[in-house]
Amino acid sequence: MTTFALPIPKRPTHPTGILNWITTIDHKKIGVLYGVTAFILFLTGGIEALLIRMQLAAPGMDFVSPEIYNQLFTMHGTTMIFLAIMPMGAAFFNYLIPLQIGARDVAFPRLNAFSYWTFLAGAIMLKSSWFLGGAPNAGWFGYAPITEIAYNPGHGIDFWILSLQVLGIASLAAAFNFIVTIINLRAPGMTLMRLPVFTWMTLITSILLVLAFPVITVALIELMFDRFYGMNFFNPVRGGNPVLWQHLFWVFGHPEVYILILPAMGLVSEIIPTFSKKPLFGYPVVIFSGIVIGFMGWMVWSHHMFTVGLGAVANSIFAITTMLIAVPTGVKIFNWIATMWKGSIDFNKTAMLYSIGFIFLFIIGGLSGVMHSSAASDAQQQDTYFIVAHIHYVLFGGAIMALLGGVYFYFPKITGKLMDESLGKINFWLTFIGMNLTFFPMHFSGMDGMPRRIYTYTSEMGWDLWNLISTFGVFIMGAGILIFVLNIVYSYLRGKESGNDPWDARTIEWAIPSPTPEYNFKKIPLIHSVDAFWEFKRNGTPIEPASGASENSEDEKNIHLPQPSYWPMVVSIGIMLAAYGMIFGLPISILGTIIGFIGVYAWSLEPVNEPEQH
Amino acid sequence: MKTENIKHEENEHSYTGLNSKKLLMWAFLGSDCMFFAALIATYLVNMGNNPPGTPFPEDVFSIPITTVSTFVLLMSSMSMVLSYASLSQNKIKAFRVWLLSTVILGATFVGFQIFEFYEFSHHEVKVECGDLIDASKREKLTDLQVKIGDEKCIEGVKKVSEKVPLTPQVNLFGSTFFTLTGFHGGHVTFGIIWLLSLLIYSFKGNVSPLNLDLAALYWHFVDVVWIVIFTVVYLFGVFPGY
Ligand code: HEM
Ligand SMILES: [Cu+2]
C-alpha cells in the first residue's frame, strides 16, 4: 500500500498538563470538561437570575435599568437551557454511556471532542455579548418581529442567533455520536431491552435532538437573513409571517423540553432502584413511556400558542394532545413510586433525597402543566408568572434536582471518593426549601395576573408579598448551591475512599474500578440480563468476557486506544471565528472558514495511531 | 499487527453489524431531512403572500430549462452508482472516470442554478398594451404585467417592457426561493468538494468503497431533495392549484 506523506503534525502521543485536556478524546475527560464548564455557566445563569429577582424584590425598584433587565432575562433563559442543563446532560452522556453499554469509548471519539469544543465556542460567543455591545434582549424564544433589525438594531440578537447556531452544531454532532454509540457499541448480549434506563433515555434524547435542532437552525437562518440581508421572512410590513417563527420555534421548543428532562428521568431511574434495593418497577413500561413521550412530543407544540388565535379547532386538538402527553409522564412517576414501595429505602443518601425531591417537585410542575393544557384556562395563564412557576418546577425541580442527584451518585465513579453526606443533606434541604420559596409564590402572583418579563410593578397590583418571598428564596437556594460547590471541592480533596461499588449498585459501570481506568473495561463483558451487575452479585450470573472477542486481553498494554488529536479543537475555533466574523467583518469569517477547512482535512487524513516510537 | 490496529480507531466492533460511519451518515441525513422540511414548509406557508407588483413564480420560472438541469442532476446520481460499482470491482480507472463525470454533472447543475439566479435578477416583464384592454386576455397576464402595463401603457405606446429583478429582498417569494434553493445548491457544492477530495486522494492513497459509499449516500440524498424542490417550488409555482 502506498502511504503518502502529508504535512500534518504528528498526533500527540503522551500529552501532559493543559495539552492533555485540549487534545483529549477520552469520553471520560470530555464528560468532566462538559460537567465543569456547564456548572460554571449554570452559576453565571444563576447570577443573572439573582439580579432579576433583586430588581423585582419590591415594587418600583431601580436596581438595574430596563434595558439591562431585558438582557438579563433573555440571557438567563438561554444560558440555563442551552449552556447549563443541556451540557450537564451531555456530561453524563459522555461519562456514562460507554460505561453502561460496556464499550471502550464512544463510536467517534474525535467527533466527541469536537462537540465539546464547539459547545464551548458557542458558550463563549453568547456570553461575550455582555461585553461586546449588549446582550440579546428578546426572551429565550426570541419572538419575531421584536427580533427584526428595525426594532432591535443592536448586535445582541445577532450574538443570540449565531451562538445558537454554533451550539446547534455541537449538539447535533454529539447526538449523532451517541445514537451510533448506543446502537453499535453495545457489549455482546446487551439487547435493547437490557440497556440501562439512562442509556435508553439518552438514545431517545439524541433522536429528538437530531430531528428538532434542524428546525430551529432553519428559523435562525431565516431570522439572520432578515437581519443581515434585508429579507422578509418574519417582517409583517413586507408580507412576512411572524407566527411562522412561533411555529418553527415551538416545533423545536417542545421536543427541546423533553431533551432537557429525559436525561434527568434516566438518572432518577438509576438512583431510585439502587437505594430502594429493588429492581425498577416495570422496566419495559418505563422505556415504552419514554418512547411515547418522544413521539408525542412532536404533536403538542401549539400549546405554546393558545392565545395566538389559531382557531378553536387547532386549540382543541393541541389541548387534547397536551393532556394526553401527561399520561406517559405520569406513568413514569407511578413506576418510580412503585419501585420505592415496600423497598428498603436509604434516606441517608443525598442522591436519593434529590431523586425523591425530583419526583415531588416534578409532580407539582406536571400538574400546573396539565392546568394550562386546557386552552381556555391557559388564556388566563399565558405569559404570566404562573408559567414561570411551571417551567421552574419542571426544569429546576425536575432537571436540575436530578442532575445534582446524579453528581452525588456518580462522583465516586469519577473520582474514587465519596461526597460528604452531611454537607450533602444541608445542600439538598437548602436547595429544596429555597426552590419552593422562590417558585411556589409565583403560582399566586401569576394567578393574580402578574405578567412575565415586566421590569417593575406598582404596589396597587398586590404582588408585593409574593415577589418578596420569591427573592428571599433565591438567597436560600443560592446558599444551597454554594454548599454544593464546597462539597465538591472538599470531597475531591478530602473525601473518603469509595471503593468500586459504594452504593451496592445494579449496572455494569460499577463492576469496574473507581476512578474508571482509561480503557474502561479490561475485558468487554457479556451481558445476560438487565441490571447485570446486580444479577452477578445476588445470583452469581457471571459477567464473563465475551468469548473470542479480539478486544479482550489480559495485559492492559495490549489495549489500543485511539490517540489524542489537535484537530477537533482547531475546527471548533474555525467555526467560532466564522461566526464572530458575521458580526465583526468578513475577513474574520474567511479566516475562520480556512482554519476550519484545514482542520477538517487534517482530521480526516491524520493516521489513527502514530507509529510506535521505541 | 499494525494494520489491524489501524482499523481499530473509530469502529471497534459493531453490535448490529452495520458500519458505524454509515449509521452516522444515516442519522445525519435524517437530520438534514428535517432541515429541508422546515425550509420547504416556510416556502409553502409563504406561497402567495407576495405584494402585487412583485415577481411571482410564474413570472420567472422556465420549466424547460429547469427540467434540463434536473435531468443533469439525476444523471449525476447514475454516474455515482457506476463509480461505486467500478470501485467495488476494483476497476480504478473506471471509478475515476465516473467519479469525475459525477463531479462535472454536479457542477453543471450548480452552473444552471447560478445562471438561473442571474437571470431572475435581470428578469424582464413584457406587456402588449392591447391585451390590457381585452378582458379575456387581461385575465391571463400576471399581476406584475398588469401593474406595469396599467402604469405605462399610455396612449401611443404598444409594447412595454421593464426590468423587474427578483431579489431575495423584493418579496417573500424571493426570500424563500433563494434561501431554499441556495441551501440546496450549497449542499451540492459541498458534495462536489467532497467527491473531488476523494478523486485527488485516489491518486495518493486508497479510497475504500466505504468512503465512497458515504459520499454516494449523501449525493443521492441531495438529489432526492431536489426532486421535491422541483415539484413543490417549480411545478406547483407555475401550475398553481395542482
Ligand atoms: C405534564 C406534562 C406537561 C404539560 C401538560 C405541559 C404543558 C405546558 C403548556 C400548555 C405550556 C404553555 C404555557 C403557556 O405559555 O401559556 C407549557 C410551557 C412550558 N413547559 Fe410544560 N408541560 C408539561 C411538562 C413539561 C416538562 C417536562 C418541561 C421541561 C422539562 C416543560 C417545560 C416547559 C417550558 C420551558 C415552558 C415555557 C416556555 C416558555 O413560554 O418560555 N413542561 N407547558
Ligand atoms: Cu410545550
Short mmCIF file of all heavy atoms in Angstrom, two decimals, chain A residues 4 11 107 110 176 184 186-187 210-211 214 218 221-222 229-233 238-239 241 551 560 562 601 605 608, chain B residues 5-6 9-10 13-16 18 20 24 27 31 34-35 42 45 168-169 171-172 175-176 179 183 197 201 204:
data_model
loop_
_atom_site.label_atom_id
_atom_site.label_comp_id
_atom_site.label_asym_id
_atom_site.label_seq_id
_atom_site.Cartn_x
_atom_site.Cartn_y
_atom_site.Cartn_z
N PHE A 4 1.50 7.93 2.08
CA PHE A 4 1.63 9.19 1.40
C PHE A 4 1.90 10.21 2.49
O PHE A 4 1.17 10.33 3.46
CB PHE A 4 0.32 9.35 0.61
CG PHE A 4 -0.25 10.70 0.47
CD1 PHE A 4 0.48 11.73 -0.08
CD2 PHE A 4 -1.56 10.93 0.86
CE1 PHE A 4 -0.10 12.95 -0.25
CE2 PHE A 4 -2.13 12.15 0.69
CZ PHE A 4 -1.40 13.16 0.14
N ARG A 11 0.19 13.23 15.65
CA ARG A 11 -0.76 13.19 16.77
C ARG A 11 0.03 13.21 18.06
O ARG A 11 1.04 12.52 18.16
CB ARG A 11 -1.59 11.91 16.71
CG ARG A 11 -2.66 11.93 15.65
CD ARG A 11 -3.44 10.64 15.68
NE ARG A 11 -4.65 10.81 16.48
CZ ARG A 11 -5.85 10.30 16.13
NH1 ARG A 11 -5.98 9.60 15.05
NH2 ARG A 11 -6.89 10.49 16.88
N ALA A 107 -18.44 5.98 19.68
CA ALA A 107 -18.13 5.50 18.33
C ALA A 107 -17.13 6.40 17.63
O ALA A 107 -16.28 5.93 16.88
CB ALA A 107 -19.41 5.38 17.51
N ARG A 110 -13.09 11.52 18.24
CA ARG A 110 -12.68 12.87 17.88
C ARG A 110 -13.89 13.76 17.65
O ARG A 110 -13.90 14.94 18.01
CB ARG A 110 -11.78 12.84 16.63
CG ARG A 110 -10.40 12.29 16.93
CD ARG A 110 -9.53 12.27 15.70
NE ARG A 110 -10.07 11.36 14.70
CZ ARG A 110 -9.61 11.28 13.45
NH1 ARG A 110 -8.62 12.06 13.06
NH2 ARG A 110 -10.14 10.42 12.60
N PHE A 176 -25.54 12.63 17.01
CA PHE A 176 -25.19 11.59 16.02
C PHE A 176 -24.30 10.54 16.68
O PHE A 176 -24.50 9.34 16.55
CB PHE A 176 -24.42 12.18 14.84
CG PHE A 176 -25.20 13.16 14.02
CD1 PHE A 176 -24.58 14.27 13.46
CD2 PHE A 176 -26.55 12.98 13.81
CE1 PHE A 176 -25.30 15.19 12.71
CE2 PHE A 176 -27.27 13.89 13.05
CZ PHE A 176 -26.64 15.00 12.51
N ASN A 184 -24.51 0.69 18.15
CA ASN A 184 -23.47 -0.19 17.61
C ASN A 184 -22.44 -0.69 18.61
O ASN A 184 -21.83 -1.72 18.38
CB ASN A 184 -22.73 0.53 16.49
CG ASN A 184 -23.16 0.02 15.14
OD1 ASN A 184 -24.04 -0.82 15.05
ND2 ASN A 184 -22.53 0.51 14.10
N ARG A 186 -22.70 -1.54 21.83
CA ARG A 186 -23.12 -2.32 22.99
C ARG A 186 -22.29 -3.58 23.13
O ARG A 186 -21.91 -4.19 22.14
CB ARG A 186 -24.59 -2.72 22.84
CG ARG A 186 -25.56 -1.65 23.20
CD ARG A 186 -26.95 -2.06 22.80
NE ARG A 186 -27.18 -1.90 21.38
CZ ARG A 186 -28.06 -2.61 20.69
NH1 ARG A 186 -28.75 -3.57 21.28
NH2 ARG A 186 -28.22 -2.38 19.41
N ALA A 187 -22.05 -3.97 24.38
CA ALA A 187 -21.33 -5.22 24.61
C ALA A 187 -22.20 -6.38 24.15
O ALA A 187 -23.43 -6.26 24.10
CB ALA A 187 -21.03 -5.36 26.10
N VAL A 210 -31.60 15.22 17.06
CA VAL A 210 -31.28 15.14 15.65
C VAL A 210 -32.42 15.67 14.79
O VAL A 210 -32.22 16.30 13.77
CB VAL A 210 -30.96 13.67 15.29
CG1 VAL A 210 -31.12 13.42 13.82
CG2 VAL A 210 -29.57 13.32 15.74
N LEU A 211 -33.66 15.43 15.26
CA LEU A 211 -34.79 15.87 14.45
C LEU A 211 -35.25 17.28 14.79
O LEU A 211 -35.83 17.96 13.94
CB LEU A 211 -35.95 14.88 14.61
CG LEU A 211 -35.62 13.45 14.15
CD1 LEU A 211 -36.78 12.51 14.44
CD2 LEU A 211 -35.29 13.43 12.67
N PRO A 214 -32.52 20.85 13.57
CA PRO A 214 -32.53 21.48 12.25
C PRO A 214 -33.67 22.49 12.09
O PRO A 214 -33.53 23.45 11.34
CB PRO A 214 -32.75 20.30 11.29
CG PRO A 214 -32.43 19.09 12.06
CD PRO A 214 -32.57 19.38 13.49
N VAL A 218 -33.12 26.32 10.87
CA VAL A 218 -33.75 27.00 9.75
C VAL A 218 -34.39 28.31 10.20
O VAL A 218 -34.21 29.36 9.57
CB VAL A 218 -34.80 26.07 9.09
CG1 VAL A 218 -35.70 26.86 8.17
CG2 VAL A 218 -34.10 24.97 8.33
N ILE A 221 -31.68 30.77 10.68
CA ILE A 221 -31.12 31.20 9.40
C ILE A 221 -32.03 32.26 8.78
O ILE A 221 -31.57 33.31 8.31
CB ILE A 221 -30.98 30.01 8.45
CG1 ILE A 221 -29.81 29.12 8.87
CG2 ILE A 221 -30.76 30.48 7.00
CD1 ILE A 221 -29.73 27.81 8.11
N GLU A 222 -33.34 31.98 8.82
CA GLU A 222 -34.27 32.93 8.20
C GLU A 222 -34.23 34.28 8.93
O GLU A 222 -34.20 35.34 8.29
CB GLU A 222 -35.68 32.33 8.21
CG GLU A 222 -35.76 31.13 7.27
CD GLU A 222 -37.09 30.38 7.33
OE1 GLU A 222 -37.92 30.69 8.21
OE2 GLU A 222 -37.29 29.49 6.51
N TYR A 229 -29.52 40.59 5.58
CA TYR A 229 -29.64 40.85 4.15
C TYR A 229 -30.99 41.46 3.78
O TYR A 229 -31.36 41.46 2.61
CB TYR A 229 -29.42 39.56 3.36
CG TYR A 229 -28.15 38.86 3.75
CD1 TYR A 229 -28.16 37.55 4.21
CD2 TYR A 229 -26.93 39.52 3.69
CE1 TYR A 229 -27.00 36.92 4.59
CE2 TYR A 229 -25.76 38.91 4.09
CZ TYR A 229 -25.80 37.60 4.54
OH TYR A 229 -24.64 36.99 4.93
N GLY A 230 -31.73 41.93 4.76
CA GLY A 230 -32.97 42.61 4.45
C GLY A 230 -34.04 41.74 3.80
O GLY A 230 -34.86 42.22 3.03
N MET A 231 -34.05 40.46 4.10
CA MET A 231 -35.13 39.61 3.57
C MET A 231 -36.40 39.80 4.40
O MET A 231 -36.43 40.62 5.33
CB MET A 231 -34.68 38.16 3.57
CG MET A 231 -33.51 37.90 2.64
SD MET A 231 -33.35 36.15 2.31
CE MET A 231 -31.72 36.09 1.59
N ASN A 232 -37.44 39.05 4.05
CA ASN A 232 -38.76 39.40 4.60
C ASN A 232 -39.46 38.29 5.37
O ASN A 232 -40.66 38.35 5.55
CB ASN A 232 -39.69 39.78 3.45
CG ASN A 232 -38.99 40.62 2.43
OD1 ASN A 232 -38.45 41.67 2.77
ND2 ASN A 232 -38.94 40.17 1.19
N PHE A 233 -38.72 37.28 5.81
CA PHE A 233 -39.41 36.12 6.38
C PHE A 233 -40.39 36.48 7.48
O PHE A 233 -41.52 36.02 7.49
CB PHE A 233 -38.39 35.12 6.91
CG PHE A 233 -37.65 34.39 5.85
CD1 PHE A 233 -36.35 34.74 5.54
CD2 PHE A 233 -38.26 33.38 5.15
CE1 PHE A 233 -35.67 34.07 4.55
CE2 PHE A 233 -37.59 32.71 4.16
CZ PHE A 233 -36.28 33.05 3.85
N ARG A 238 -43.63 43.65 5.22
CA ARG A 238 -43.39 43.22 3.84
C ARG A 238 -44.07 41.88 3.55
O ARG A 238 -43.62 41.13 2.70
CB ARG A 238 -41.88 43.08 3.59
CG ARG A 238 -41.07 44.29 4.04
CD ARG A 238 -40.81 45.25 2.91
NE ARG A 238 -39.86 44.71 1.95
CZ ARG A 238 -38.54 44.73 2.11
NH1 ARG A 238 -38.02 45.24 3.21
NH2 ARG A 238 -37.75 44.24 1.18
N GLY A 239 -45.14 41.58 4.26
CA GLY A 239 -45.87 40.35 3.98
C GLY A 239 -45.34 39.15 4.75
O GLY A 239 -45.88 38.06 4.63
N ASN A 241 -44.30 36.63 7.98
CA ASN A 241 -45.24 35.95 8.83
C ASN A 241 -44.62 35.66 10.20
O ASN A 241 -43.98 34.62 10.39
CB ASN A 241 -45.62 34.65 8.12
CG ASN A 241 -46.75 33.95 8.80
OD1 ASN A 241 -47.11 34.28 9.93
ND2 ASN A 241 -47.32 32.98 8.12
N GLU A 551 -11.05 -7.80 21.31
CA GLU A 551 -10.71 -6.64 22.14
C GLU A 551 -10.17 -7.07 23.51
O GLU A 551 -9.63 -6.26 24.24
CB GLU A 551 -11.94 -5.77 22.39
CG GLU A 551 -12.44 -5.02 21.18
CD GLU A 551 -13.47 -5.83 20.43
OE1 GLU A 551 -13.68 -7.00 20.79
OE2 GLU A 551 -14.05 -5.30 19.47
N HIS A 560 -5.54 -1.15 22.78
CA HIS A 560 -5.18 0.02 21.97
C HIS A 560 -6.30 1.03 21.97
O HIS A 560 -7.41 0.74 21.54
CB HIS A 560 -4.87 -0.42 20.54
CG HIS A 560 -3.55 -1.10 20.45
ND1 HIS A 560 -2.37 -0.40 20.37
CD2 HIS A 560 -3.22 -2.41 20.47
CE1 HIS A 560 -1.37 -1.26 20.33
NE2 HIS A 560 -1.87 -2.49 20.39
N PRO A 562 -7.47 4.92 20.74
CA PRO A 562 -7.08 5.95 19.77
C PRO A 562 -6.31 7.07 20.46
O PRO A 562 -6.55 7.37 21.63
CB PRO A 562 -8.42 6.44 19.22
CG PRO A 562 -9.45 5.95 20.14
CD PRO A 562 -8.91 4.75 20.82
N TYR A 601 -9.58 18.70 6.90
CA TYR A 601 -8.73 17.84 6.07
C TYR A 601 -7.68 17.13 6.91
O TYR A 601 -7.46 15.92 6.75
CB TYR A 601 -8.08 18.66 4.95
CG TYR A 601 -8.99 18.78 3.76
CD1 TYR A 601 -9.70 19.94 3.51
CD2 TYR A 601 -9.18 17.69 2.91
CE1 TYR A 601 -10.57 20.04 2.45
CE2 TYR A 601 -10.05 17.78 1.83
CZ TYR A 601 -10.74 18.96 1.60
OH TYR A 601 -11.60 19.03 0.55
N LEU A 605 -7.25 13.10 7.40
CA LEU A 605 -6.06 12.46 6.83
C LEU A 605 -5.08 11.97 7.88
O LEU A 605 -4.18 11.20 7.57
CB LEU A 605 -5.36 13.43 5.88
CG LEU A 605 -6.15 13.75 4.60
CD1 LEU A 605 -5.45 14.82 3.80
CD2 LEU A 605 -6.35 12.50 3.76
N VAL A 608 -4.43 6.98 12.33
CA VAL A 608 -5.13 6.59 13.54
C VAL A 608 -4.20 6.57 14.73
O VAL A 608 -4.49 7.07 15.80
CB VAL A 608 -5.76 5.21 13.34
CG1 VAL A 608 -6.36 4.72 14.63
CG2 VAL A 608 -6.82 5.30 12.27
N ASN B 5 -4.36 -2.68 14.05
CA ASN B 5 -4.64 -1.56 14.95
C ASN B 5 -5.25 -0.40 14.20
O ASN B 5 -6.08 0.32 14.71
CB ASN B 5 -3.34 -1.06 15.58
CG ASN B 5 -2.84 -2.06 16.58
OD1 ASN B 5 -3.61 -2.94 16.97
ND2 ASN B 5 -1.60 -1.95 16.96
N ILE B 6 -4.80 -0.23 12.97
CA ILE B 6 -5.26 0.93 12.23
C ILE B 6 -6.75 0.88 12.01
O ILE B 6 -7.43 1.88 12.07
CB ILE B 6 -4.48 1.02 10.90
CG1 ILE B 6 -3.05 1.40 11.24
CG2 ILE B 6 -5.10 2.03 9.98
CD1 ILE B 6 -2.17 1.70 10.12
N GLU B 9 -9.50 2.36 15.13
CA GLU B 9 -9.80 3.64 15.75
C GLU B 9 -11.27 3.85 16.04
O GLU B 9 -11.71 3.80 17.16
CB GLU B 9 -9.29 4.80 14.89
CG GLU B 9 -10.09 6.06 15.15
CD GLU B 9 -9.23 7.27 15.35
OE1 GLU B 9 -8.31 7.54 14.58
OE2 GLU B 9 -9.50 7.96 16.34
N GLU B 10 -12.04 4.11 15.00
CA GLU B 10 -13.34 4.67 15.32
C GLU B 10 -14.45 3.63 15.21
O GLU B 10 -15.59 3.97 15.40
CB GLU B 10 -13.58 5.90 14.47
CG GLU B 10 -12.41 6.86 14.65
CD GLU B 10 -12.74 8.31 14.42
OE1 GLU B 10 -13.37 8.58 13.40
OE2 GLU B 10 -12.37 9.14 15.25
N HIS B 13 -16.08 -2.43 17.30
CA HIS B 13 -16.88 -3.50 16.78
C HIS B 13 -18.27 -2.96 16.60
O HIS B 13 -18.58 -1.84 16.98
CB HIS B 13 -16.87 -4.70 17.72
CG HIS B 13 -17.61 -4.45 18.99
ND1 HIS B 13 -16.98 -4.08 20.15
CD2 HIS B 13 -18.91 -4.49 19.28
CE1 HIS B 13 -17.87 -3.91 21.10
NE2 HIS B 13 -19.05 -4.14 20.61
N SER B 14 -19.14 -3.73 16.01
CA SER B 14 -20.48 -3.23 15.79
C SER B 14 -21.47 -4.27 16.23
O SER B 14 -21.44 -5.41 15.76
CB SER B 14 -20.64 -2.91 14.31
OG SER B 14 -22.00 -2.97 13.96
N TYR B 15 -22.33 -3.90 17.16
CA TYR B 15 -23.30 -4.83 17.69
C TYR B 15 -24.25 -5.29 16.60
O TYR B 15 -24.61 -6.45 16.51
CB TYR B 15 -24.09 -4.15 18.81
CG TYR B 15 -25.05 -5.06 19.54
CD1 TYR B 15 -24.65 -5.70 20.70
CD2 TYR B 15 -26.32 -5.28 19.06
CE1 TYR B 15 -25.52 -6.55 21.37
CE2 TYR B 15 -27.20 -6.12 19.72
CZ TYR B 15 -26.79 -6.76 20.87
OH TYR B 15 -27.65 -7.59 21.54
N THR B 16 -24.65 -4.35 15.77
CA THR B 16 -25.68 -4.66 14.78
C THR B 16 -25.09 -5.20 13.49
O THR B 16 -25.83 -5.65 12.62
CB THR B 16 -26.47 -3.40 14.43
OG1 THR B 16 -25.53 -2.40 14.04
CG2 THR B 16 -27.27 -2.90 15.60
N LEU B 18 -23.95 -3.24 11.36
CA LEU B 18 -23.92 -2.06 10.49
C LEU B 18 -22.61 -1.31 10.72
O LEU B 18 -22.14 -1.24 11.84
CB LEU B 18 -25.07 -1.12 10.84
CG LEU B 18 -26.48 -1.58 10.53
CD1 LEU B 18 -27.47 -0.63 11.17
CD2 LEU B 18 -26.66 -1.61 9.02
N SER B 20 -20.42 1.74 11.53
CA SER B 20 -20.76 2.92 12.35
C SER B 20 -20.79 4.20 11.54
O SER B 20 -21.64 5.07 11.76
CB SER B 20 -19.76 3.06 13.49
OG SER B 20 -19.96 2.04 14.43
N LEU B 24 -23.86 6.74 11.09
CA LEU B 24 -23.71 8.17 11.34
C LEU B 24 -24.28 8.97 10.18
O LEU B 24 -25.00 9.95 10.35
CB LEU B 24 -22.24 8.52 11.54
CG LEU B 24 -21.93 9.99 11.82
CD1 LEU B 24 -22.08 10.29 13.29
CD2 LEU B 24 -20.53 10.34 11.38
N ALA B 27 -28.00 8.96 10.23
CA ALA B 27 -28.52 9.88 11.25
C ALA B 27 -28.43 11.31 10.74
O ALA B 27 -29.37 12.11 10.91
CB ALA B 27 -27.74 9.72 12.56
N SER B 31 -31.46 14.11 9.95
CA SER B 31 -31.44 15.48 10.44
C SER B 31 -31.60 16.47 9.28
O SER B 31 -32.36 17.44 9.36
CB SER B 31 -30.11 15.69 11.16
OG SER B 31 -30.11 16.87 11.85
N MET B 34 -35.09 17.00 8.08
CA MET B 34 -35.86 17.98 8.84
C MET B 34 -35.46 19.40 8.46
O MET B 34 -36.27 20.32 8.46
CB MET B 34 -35.65 17.78 10.35
CG MET B 34 -36.29 16.55 10.90
SD MET B 34 -38.08 16.51 10.65
CE MET B 34 -38.64 17.67 11.88
N PHE B 35 -34.18 19.56 8.13
CA PHE B 35 -33.69 20.88 7.72
C PHE B 35 -34.44 21.33 6.47
O PHE B 35 -35.02 22.42 6.44
CB PHE B 35 -32.19 20.77 7.46
CG PHE B 35 -31.54 22.06 7.03
CD1 PHE B 35 -31.12 22.98 7.97
CD2 PHE B 35 -31.34 22.34 5.69
CE1 PHE B 35 -30.53 24.16 7.59
CE2 PHE B 35 -30.74 23.53 5.29
CZ PHE B 35 -30.34 24.44 6.25
N THR B 42 -41.60 26.55 5.16
CA THR B 42 -41.60 28.02 5.08
C THR B 42 -42.08 28.47 3.71
O THR B 42 -42.89 29.38 3.58
CB THR B 42 -40.18 28.56 5.31
OG1 THR B 42 -39.71 28.08 6.55
CG2 THR B 42 -40.17 30.07 5.30
N VAL B 45 -45.85 27.91 3.40
CA VAL B 45 -46.63 28.85 4.22
C VAL B 45 -46.67 30.22 3.55
O VAL B 45 -47.68 30.92 3.56
CB VAL B 45 -46.02 28.95 5.63
CG1 VAL B 45 -46.58 30.14 6.38
CG2 VAL B 45 -46.28 27.67 6.40
N PRO B 168 -33.66 38.50 -3.31
CA PRO B 168 -34.11 37.97 -2.02
C PRO B 168 -34.87 39.01 -1.21
O PRO B 168 -35.63 38.65 -0.32
CB PRO B 168 -32.80 37.62 -1.32
CG PRO B 168 -31.80 37.46 -2.39
CD PRO B 168 -32.21 38.39 -3.49
N GLN B 169 -34.66 40.28 -1.54
CA GLN B 169 -35.29 41.32 -0.72
C GLN B 169 -36.65 41.74 -1.24
O GLN B 169 -37.46 42.28 -0.50
CB GLN B 169 -34.38 42.56 -0.67
CG GLN B 169 -33.13 42.39 0.18
CD GLN B 169 -32.05 41.63 -0.56
OE1 GLN B 169 -32.03 41.58 -1.78
NE2 GLN B 169 -31.14 41.03 0.19
N ASN B 171 -39.50 40.40 -2.34
CA ASN B 171 -40.74 39.90 -1.74
C ASN B 171 -40.47 38.56 -1.05
O ASN B 171 -39.35 38.07 -1.03
CB ASN B 171 -41.85 39.76 -2.79
CG ASN B 171 -41.47 38.81 -3.90
OD1 ASN B 171 -40.49 38.08 -3.79
ND2 ASN B 171 -42.23 38.81 -4.97
N LEU B 172 -41.53 38.01 -0.46
CA LEU B 172 -41.37 36.75 0.26
C LEU B 172 -40.96 35.61 -0.65
O LEU B 172 -40.20 34.73 -0.27
CB LEU B 172 -42.69 36.37 0.92
CG LEU B 172 -42.87 36.84 2.34
CD1 LEU B 172 -44.23 36.41 2.84
CD2 LEU B 172 -41.78 36.29 3.22
N SER B 175 -37.31 35.82 -0.99
CA SER B 175 -36.60 35.38 0.21
C SER B 175 -36.61 33.87 0.33
O SER B 175 -35.57 33.24 0.52
CB SER B 175 -37.27 35.98 1.46
OG SER B 175 -37.31 37.38 1.39
N THR B 176 -37.81 33.29 0.21
CA THR B 176 -37.90 31.84 0.44
C THR B 176 -37.24 31.07 -0.69
O THR B 176 -36.54 30.10 -0.44
CB THR B 176 -39.37 31.40 0.56
OG1 THR B 176 -40.11 32.00 -0.50
CG2 THR B 176 -39.97 31.82 1.85
N THR B 179 -33.38 31.30 -0.50
CA THR B 179 -32.85 30.60 0.67
C THR B 179 -32.93 29.09 0.46
O THR B 179 -31.94 28.38 0.65
CB THR B 179 -33.65 30.99 1.93
OG1 THR B 179 -33.63 32.42 2.03
CG2 THR B 179 -33.03 30.40 3.17
N PHE B 183 -29.60 26.92 -0.30
CA PHE B 183 -29.05 25.89 0.59
C PHE B 183 -28.91 24.56 -0.13
O PHE B 183 -27.98 23.80 0.13
CB PHE B 183 -29.91 25.74 1.85
CG PHE B 183 -29.43 26.63 2.95
CD1 PHE B 183 -30.07 27.82 3.24
CD2 PHE B 183 -28.27 26.31 3.65
CE1 PHE B 183 -29.60 28.67 4.22
CE2 PHE B 183 -27.79 27.15 4.63
CZ PHE B 183 -28.45 28.34 4.92
N SER B 197 -12.24 15.75 -3.46
CA SER B 197 -11.22 15.34 -2.50
C SER B 197 -10.95 13.85 -2.62
O SER B 197 -9.79 13.41 -2.59
CB SER B 197 -11.67 15.65 -1.07
OG SER B 197 -12.08 16.98 -0.96
N TYR B 201 -7.52 12.16 -3.70
CA TYR B 201 -6.92 11.21 -2.76
C TYR B 201 -6.66 9.86 -3.42
O TYR B 201 -5.72 9.16 -3.08
CB TYR B 201 -7.83 11.05 -1.54
CG TYR B 201 -7.18 10.28 -0.42
CD1 TYR B 201 -6.20 10.87 0.37
CD2 TYR B 201 -7.53 8.97 -0.16
CE1 TYR B 201 -5.58 10.18 1.38
CE2 TYR B 201 -6.92 8.25 0.85
CZ TYR B 201 -5.95 8.87 1.62
OH TYR B 201 -5.35 8.17 2.61
N LYS B 204 -3.28 9.29 -4.43
CA LYS B 204 -2.22 9.27 -3.41
C LYS B 204 -2.37 8.09 -2.47
O LYS B 204 -1.40 7.56 -1.98
CB LYS B 204 -2.28 10.56 -2.59
CG LYS B 204 -2.30 11.81 -3.42
CD LYS B 204 -0.95 12.46 -3.41
CE LYS B 204 -0.94 13.69 -4.29
NZ LYS B 204 0.34 14.38 -4.24
#
